[in-house]
Amino acid sequence: MRSRYTANVLGDAGHLRRTWDPRTCPEALEMSSGPVWESLEIRHTEAGEPGDDHGVVEFVARFHDGRRAGALHETSRFRRIDGWWVYVDGDIHPEPAPIPRNAPCPCGSGKKYKRCCASR
């Protein structure tokens, strides 16, 4: 999961393709115009140990798209093929309500949202 996040940050479509289950990998991967990824938080894992053939990772990846800060919250399914973990598919959790401008910024800076990530 962490290597796939890094591949998204770097725009490495080759790595994403190599770590995607051939049964579910799209034919084309568009990497040119995406958000700026800022952080990855792994919230929960199931299985995925050396003796397992399947695993689940729940994560939140935070981003900024030039207009606003946001987050991708997904529960992803992985399986092992010939000793390598590959992404099968995932369920995206609904995006939370927008952050009020005067609320503390979720990035943890201690500033108000309007003075921090909302101003980018």
Side-chain angles (χ1 to χ4, degrees):
M1 178 64 234
R2 293 181 198 282
S3 75
R4 288 180 57 81
Y5 170 78
T6 301
N8 273 291
V9 169
L10 300 175
D12 186 351
H15 182 75
L16 289 175
R17 186 168 294 290
R18 287 188 301 276
T19 58
W20 207 314
D21 189 326
R23 299 179 305 182
T24 59
C25 185
E27 291 195 22
L29 294 176
E30 177 60 42
M31 301 292 296
S32 62
S33 60
V36 175
W37 296 101
E38 296 179 341
S39 67
L40 173 67
E41 173 191 353
I42 304 295
R43 292 217 170 150
H44 178 75
T45 62
E46 292 176 25
E49 298 295 324
D52 296 326
D53 289 329
H54 293 86
V56 175
V57 177
E58 178 188 355
F59 69 91
V60 176
R62 300 198 187 286
F63 65 87
H64 193 273
D65 68 4
R67 296 176 298 130
R68 65 177 185 93
L72 169 64
H73 183 186
E74 181 176 320
T75 299
S76 300
R77 286 173 285 281
F78 292 83
R79 73 181 183 116
R80 192 188 308 262
I81 300 176
D82 297 328
W84 294 94
W85 286 105
V86 295
Y87 172 79
V88 177
D89 60 16
D91 297 320
I92 296 175
H93 299 257
E95 192 168 337
I99 301 166
R101 291 179 45 79
N102 286 319
C105 192
C107 77
S109 68
K111 298 178 184 177
K112 288 185 178 184
Y113 179 63
K114 69 181 178 185
R115 300 261 185 236
C116 193
C117 291
S119 65
R120 292 185 192 179

